[in-house]
Amino acid sequence: MNTGSVPESAPSIVREIRKLESLLETPENLPESYIVGVGYDGEKRQAFLKLYEPKLHRIFLWYDDTGHKPYCLAQDPISALEANQSIVRHLGFERFEQVKKYDALRDEEIQLVRIVAKDPLAIGGRAYGSIRDMIKAWEADIKYVENYIYDRSICPGMPYQVKKGKLVRVDHKLPSDMVHAVESLLGKESEDYRRLALEWIRLLECPVPEFYRASLDIEVAQDIATRMPDPSMAEQPIICVSLADSKGKKQVFLLKRFGVNEDEEKLPKDAEIHYFEKEEDLISSLFVAISSYPIIITFNGDDFDLRYLWNRAQLKAFNRQQIPVEMGRETATTKNGIHIDLYKFFFNRSIQIYAFGQKYRENTLDEIGTALLGVGKIPIEKSVSELSYGELASYCLRDAEITLSLTEFKEDLVMKLIAALSRISFMSFEDVSRQGVSNWIRSTLYNEHRRRNFLIPRADDIIALKGTTSTEAVIKGKKYKGAIVVEPTPGIHFSVAVLDFASLYPSIIKVWNLGYETIRCPHKDAACKDNKVPGTPHWVCKKNRALESLLIGSLRDLRVNWYKPRSKDKTLSDDVRSLYNVIQNALKVILNASYGVFGSDRFALYCPPVAEATAAIGRYAITSTIEKAHSTGMNVVYGDTDSIFLGNPSPEQLNELIDWSKTFLKMELEVDKRYRYLVLSSRKKNYLGVLPDGSVDIKGLTGKKRHIPEFLKRVFYEMIEILSKVQSTEEFEEAKTKIKGIVKNCYLMLRDRRFKLEDLAFNVMISKSPSDYTKTTPQHVKAAEILSDHGTEVRAGDLISFVKVLGESGVKPVQLATVEEVDTGKYIEYLESTFEQVLDALGTDFQELAGTKKLESFLGDN
DNA sequence: GCGGACTGCTTACCT
DNA sequence: ACAGGTAAGCAGTCCGCG
């Protein structure tokens, strides 16, 4: 590796970085600081915390002072373990300790042996020679820093102080009226539940500081414009780096290269521009700058920017002490701060859907920036190597600015969201922003197990004792039966009330006491065995309360009864409201996944009957509610999973149903919304509802789907616009005439080929690399293959734009097609089916609308 | 060899 | 790397057709 000579600037940068590092040594006394990172120092063999001090805007490291050590648990007696030479003589072995734990799976106290090790790798993580592979071990797959957090009751994201070297929790007292309000909400819940709920409130109500941070983006010289440089090789020079920080400072580091055009007027005006003759000097200066920030934000820095920098610096003869970056196998962090990689955070499906409402489709900086901020990347025609200094600096800085802005918009929403998720899941900012929802839930549950001295069960033990499902899924290949969708009554329904259960599945988990411990519990008594889950052979424990039920239940109740109402409460200040909105969104993300994880074999506490029971009780709840509605004389026109749509119910009828649900199901049924009218076809998950204010809910209709051509979407929304104005049955006739006009016009445009090609493009996401489609070759894959043949690389996750054309293949990438070859007949078919979904509910069909003939016949032979 | 009935694959959506 | 249920379009296969 270290081939070049030691950079001349090395001594000075070491001095600079040392100076900054000395600031990191935690003083004997540290004022209120927030835990944002938790790590393990392999040399010192100690866990450490990264504490963010909000007044100095700096991160301090605090090293564990309790001698906490890695360990796992075994069931064999100590004598047997002592005879096991591979353990006792293991270099990392330290000692055995006798411990008592509660085994929730079997409902009994048990004796275990704690095998304490000198370092985490001795327990597990090595290819061979790990203690956990030598015996049946418990709690051996938990990352060491997580063990540390749980065992020391540390709450990441929360404020602490250091007093005389000791770590001390800082308590922000809750206002007493708040405590009273929460107490009264909790009503007659159990002591356990109340304590938990108050603890959540303590964590979630605690203020979140402002985080000083900088975004980083690097550009690397390229030979071939389309190929991404390989960060593990780091062969090409770094030619430009931008930093944009939350105090407004912007810096661009440019490498001087032969023959590059200055282009001064294109240089960003509000940034400091630093030129470097040598790449080594650029890197040195950059390292000093990076070291001065407590938080570095990147977009894909784990896999690219920081990894490239790290490898490039070593190629340029920097030694590891000189590089302020710490590389993990899949992650990168800064030595004296933390690194948040937004690519991973925004890629998270739950975050995409529940926190950002699927506003962005492709996980690229350009797409996310455009969707959330209205600012995209600066388009460039050539490779970055060919840009002038001005163009390059502007391009690179824009990326850094977008990256920073993604953490700043809506009053630092993303930072607050990460903080809230960190507090709920007991994971550091760095971990929580990189992991998915199943790991957040796992961590929340693990933490509670430790707090109560419950043994954390092994996945294979849960399956061996509770692995069975008994219902049959509608969809082939699924493990168990899911939700019910009520057959819609086609037609137009006026004055529809939509009722739904507030967080149905979390409510079920709470009310029915579901958890891996309680489903099919080991007790022989009739009390438990007779407590059957409707529609399944499963029973639920009557003796003990499941941790999952307590945790998910309390989080649900806080969201529904506390955070959600307060996020809309106009009497609260904007700041408080927006923080509450972030919290209720964080809770939503977690609650929405809280049932699904039990049905996912990748979840550490995977327990199929828990998931199956939850869905079964959901079916029971909706079917019995529908029966009750019928018996009260109401007209149920539709329903899906947790909702029922009622045609013109009286207020008395509604109240009766809601009261009934509360009494008999112990579930909160509420009026979610009302439609002036609702248009239903015979298709499930497909409807159009007009709200009192004229706004329109569109669900599942083709006209709304993202992949369909723009031109179809336009006519579809023209139709919606007309329908939204309709007030009565009579007005539908007028509406139909207008719609007829639109459609006629539309097919004439198609016939005469009066359209822009891009408006006819389908945009379909390709989920795998084209060569991985072995069973069939769908049209978008065909188009992708044509693209590859023309030298445009296609990767999983790309959006493929193609038009339907006449001829052999049937499709062409939009870039390569012409207006003349478009298969207009196909588009007419699409027009028909898109409109049919709405029209057959209006009692019309396409032929009637367009005259007597099929539209295609107007077009002749094409 | 061709077309219709069928199944399976794929994507996008709903809760 | 949370679940199952539904719609739509197309690819591929099977079968009958003297």
Side-chain angles (χ1 to χ4, degrees), chain A residues 344-592:
Chain A
K344 294 224 168 111
F345 186 70
F346 281 99
F347 190 70
N348 183 316
R349 284 267 306 159
S350 303
I351 294 293
Q352 249 171 73
I353 297 170
Y354 300 116
F356 298 109
Q358 279 182 306
K359 284 207 181 78
Y360 56 95
R361 263 236 288 177
E362 278 181 300
N363 203 41
T364 60
L365 187 61
D366 186 52
E367 164 87 4
I368 300 173
T370 307
L372 300 180
L373 312 165
V375 181
K377 284 167 81 91
I378 294 179
I380 49 171
E381 308 287 299
K382 36 198 173 182
S383 95
V384 289
S385 293
E386 295 162 318
L387 300 177
S388 68
Y389 291 128
E391 291 166 335
L392 178 61
S394 300
Y395 173 81
C396 177
L397 181 62
R398 171 70 68 84
D399 282 4
E401 286 171 331
I402 298 171
T403 304
L404 177 70
S405 299
L406 286 176
T407 69
E408 287 182 329
F409 79 109
K410 288 201 180 172
E411 292 88 42
D412 292 357
L413 179 145
V414 165
M415 297 308 291
K416 289 174 183 164
L417 191 54
I418 290 173
L421 291 168
S422 162
R423 290 169 180 183
I424 298 169
S425 62
F426 300 90
M427 292 171 101
S428 68
F429 282 26
E430 294 196 294
D431 286 339
V432 84
S433 62
R434 285 171 173 80
Q435 306 269 319
V437 65
S438 73
N439 274 318
W440 302 339
I441 295 172
R442 173 189 57 79
S443 183
T444 307
L445 293 172
Y446 277 9
N447 183 66
E448 192 63 18
H449 275 76
R450 273 294 158 74
R451 213 184 58 74
R452 292 170 189 248
N453 199 35
F454 281 30
L455 174 68
I456 294 170
R458 287 170 57 104
D460 54 352
D461 283 349
I462 301 178
I463 287 302
L465 271 88
K466 318 251 167 135
T468 53
T469 54
S470 59
T471 56
E472 205 183 316
V474 173
I475 305 171
K476 225 189 263 177
K478 298 287 185 185
K479 286 169 288 216
Y480 58 88
K481 197 173 177 63
I484 283 180
V485 187
V486 180
E487 203 65 55
T489 311
I492 299 154
H493 306 277
F494 285 88
S495 293
V496 169
V498 180
L499 302 195
D500 69 3
F501 293 101
S503 319
L504 176 69
Y505 289 157
S507 302
I508 290 171
I509 291 170
K510 179 194 174 194
V511 172
W512 283 74
N513 187 26
L514 298 182
Y516 75 84
E517 317 92 292
T518 50
I519 194 88
R520 305 177 71 88
C521 67
H523 309 123
K524 300 275 180 283
D525 334 27
C528 297
K529 291 261 170 160
D530 291 351
N531 187 24
K532 284 273 165 25
V533 173
T536 74
H538 306 315
W539 65 92
V540 187
C541 187
K542 283 287 216 180
K543 292 173 187 272
N544 302 323
R545 186 76 192 266
L547 292 189
E548 296 92 317
S549 172
L550 273 175
L551 285 165
I552 295 165
S554 57
L555 287 172
R556 186 220 89 113
D557 290 354
L558 285 176
R559 168 158 192 262
V560 171
N561 300 320
W562 185 255
Y563 288 105
K564 211 173 169 193
R566 287 171 75 88
S567 72
K568 294 183 175 146
D569 185 345
K570 293 276 159 55
T571 65
L572 297 168
S573 74
D574 288 357
D575 282 0
V576 173
R577 242 193 2 254
S578 96
L579 184 60
Y580 280 158
N581 195 40
V582 172
I583 296 170
Q584 74 94 5
N585 266 314
L587 291 171
K588 177 163 86 177
V589 170
I590 289 188
L591 291 168
N592 272 327

Side-chain angles (χ1 to χ4, degrees), chain A residues 20 178 209 248 289 320 384 459 523 575 652 676 798 804 856:
Chain A
L20 290 160
M178 186 185 284
R320 293 198 180 183
V384 289
H523 309 123
D575 282 0
E652 295 74 32
R676 190 200 289 160
D798 286 350
K804 307 220 176 200
E856 288 148 292

Side-chain angles (χ1 to χ4, degrees), chain A residues 650-666:
Chain A
S650 73
E652 295 74 32
Q653 287 175 313
L654 283 180
N655 283 332
E656 191 184 338
L657 197 62
I658 289 167
D659 291 345
W660 172 86
S661 164
K662 186 80 217 138
T663 313
F664 290 95
L665 299 175
K666 313 279 179 237

Side-chain angles (χ1 to χ4, degrees), chain A residues 148-245:
Chain A
Y148 184 73
I149 290 168
Y150 310 144
D151 287 338
R152 295 267 355 251
S153 303
I154 281 164
C155 301
M158 292 294 282
Y160 285 79
Q161 281 181 322
V162 177
K163 281 188 180 167
K164 294 191 180 148
K166 292 274 170 208
L167 187 72
V168 189
R169 199 173 96 174
V170 175
D171 269 317
H172 285 264
K173 265 226 171 274
L174 296 172
S176 63
D177 54 332
M178 186 185 284
V179 176
H180 289 161
V182 176
E183 290 267 8
S184 71
L185 258 182
L186 303 181
K188 48 197 179 310
E189 301 284 354
S190 68
E191 193 48 41
D192 252 2
Y193 175 99
R194 293 157 63 94
R195 199 204 49 74
L196 253 181
L198 279 168
E199 180 65 11
W200 286 130
I201 289 270
R202 183 183 79 81
L203 294 179
L204 296 172
E205 294 288 333
C206 182
V208 178
E210 273 186 32
F211 293 103
Y212 178 45
R213 57 198 183 273
S215 62
L216 169 89
D217 184 62
I218 75 170
E219 304 299 337
V220 172
Q222 283 174 309
D223 319 331
I224 311 160
T226 50
R227 216 180 40 216
M228 184 80 173
D230 179 353
S232 62
M233 303 305 288
E235 284 167 327
Q236 301 294 325
I238 294 167
I239 54 174
C240 184
V241 182
S242 296
L243 286 167
D245 78 24

